[in-house]
């Protein structure tokens, strides 16, 4: 597996991975390909937002949307979304992908990674297994 920053010609393949992963259990989310392609495009060419893709055997199998958040001591990488296509899950590729993203975060000067998930989702156990720990924090939301 290798990690790369997608370009315009990769957007379609990346959107298929996203739709596949989030269309499966437990999310069962339905997205139009055009809205996912716009989401991916919004991350390309930014100095603080990054899109990383994972490829294996000349096929895009994973995608991560991240942003570097400045801090006084050192910036951290916030992962907004990360996924492996549904048909490729369960083979250890997610673990390999998260390691590659962590290596990129270090290259960007980050000293840590922050992400959110829900305890009742399989991703929670995946992140704990891969060295993440809970922080004493509450996520709040307000519709505007």
């Amino acid at each position: 597996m290798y990690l790369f920053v997608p370009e315009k010609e990769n957007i379609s393949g990346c959107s298929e991975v996203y739709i596949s992963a989030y269309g499966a259990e437990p999310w069962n989310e339905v997205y139009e390909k055009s809205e996912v392609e716009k989401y991916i495009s919004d991350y390309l060419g930014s100095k603080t937002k990054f899109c990383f893709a994972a490829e294996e055997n000349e096929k895009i199998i994973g995608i991560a949307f991240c942003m570097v958040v400045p801090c006084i001591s050192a910036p951290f990488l916030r992962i907004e979304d990360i996924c492996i296509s549904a048909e490729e899950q369960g083979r250890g590729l997610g673990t390999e992908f998260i390691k590659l993203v962590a290596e990129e975060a270090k290259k960007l000067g980050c000293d840590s990674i922050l992400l959110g998930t829900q305890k009742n989702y399989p991703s929670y156990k995946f992140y704990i297994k891969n060295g993440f720990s809970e922080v004493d924090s509450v996520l709040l939301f307000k519709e505007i």
Side-chain angles (χ1 to χ4, degrees), residues 6-59:
E7 296 184 9
K8 282 186 178 182
E9 61 267 15
N10 308 115
I11 291 175
S12 179
C14 290
S15 68
E16 290 168 9
V17 168
Y18 191 90
I19 290 167
S20 165
Y22 285 106
E25 291 288 335
W27 298 274
N28 298 313
E29 295 176 2
V30 178
Y31 294 104
E32 293 292 326
K33 189 169 183 181
S34 61
E35 67 184 342
V36 176
E37 288 177 346
K38 183 186 178 323
Y39 178 49
I40 294 167
S41 294
D42 288 345
Y43 275 80
L44 302 181
S46 172
K47 292 183 181 186
T48 57
K49 296 189 297 187
F50 297 90
C51 179
F52 300 113
E55 184 174 285
E56 185 179 71
N57 299 323
E58 299 181 17
K59 179 182 174 190

Side-chain angles (χ1 to χ4, degrees), residues 66-82:
C66 312
M67 59 182 63
V68 173
V69 180
C71 264
I72 291 173
S73 58
F76 64 89
L77 189 78
R78 170 140 173 96
I79 297 177
E80 294 298 321
D81 276 312
I82 187 167

Side-chain angles (χ1 to χ4, degrees), residues 22-141:
Y22 285 106
E25 291 288 335
W27 298 274
N28 298 313
E29 295 176 2
V30 178
Y31 294 104
E32 293 292 326
K33 189 169 183 181
S34 61
E35 67 184 342
V36 176
E37 288 177 346
K38 183 186 178 323
Y39 178 49
I40 294 167
S41 294
D42 288 345
Y43 275 80
L44 302 181
S46 172
K47 292 183 181 186
T48 57
K49 296 189 297 187
F50 297 90
C51 179
F52 300 113
E55 184 174 285
E56 185 179 71
N57 299 323
E58 299 181 17
K59 179 182 174 190
I60 298 172
I61 55 142
I63 189 161
F65 301 96
C66 312
M67 59 182 63
V68 173
V69 180
C71 264
I72 291 173
S73 58
F76 64 89
L77 189 78
R78 170 140 173 96
I79 297 177
E80 294 298 321
D81 276 312
I82 187 167
C83 59
I84 296 289
S85 63
E87 59 272 7
E88 300 293 340
Q89 293 178 10
R91 298 181 30 220
L93 299 173
T95 295
E96 190 175 346
F97 189 30
I98 203 97
K99 286 178 184 174
L100 292 172
V101 170
E103 289 173 17
E104 288 301 313
K106 286 180 186 176
K107 291 177 189 174
L108 293 167
C110 298
D111 68 354
S112 56
I113 298 174
L114 180 70
L115 57 80
T117 191
Q118 295 182 17
K119 283 188 176 184
N120 60 333
Y121 281 7
S123 52
Y124 175 81
K125 289 180 182 175
F126 168 80
Y127 294 129
I128 295 296
K129 179 184 88 168
N130 282 282
F132 287 80
S133 58
E134 285 189 44
V135 293
D136 231 5
S137 183
V138 176
L139 183 63
L140 302 172
F141 173 81

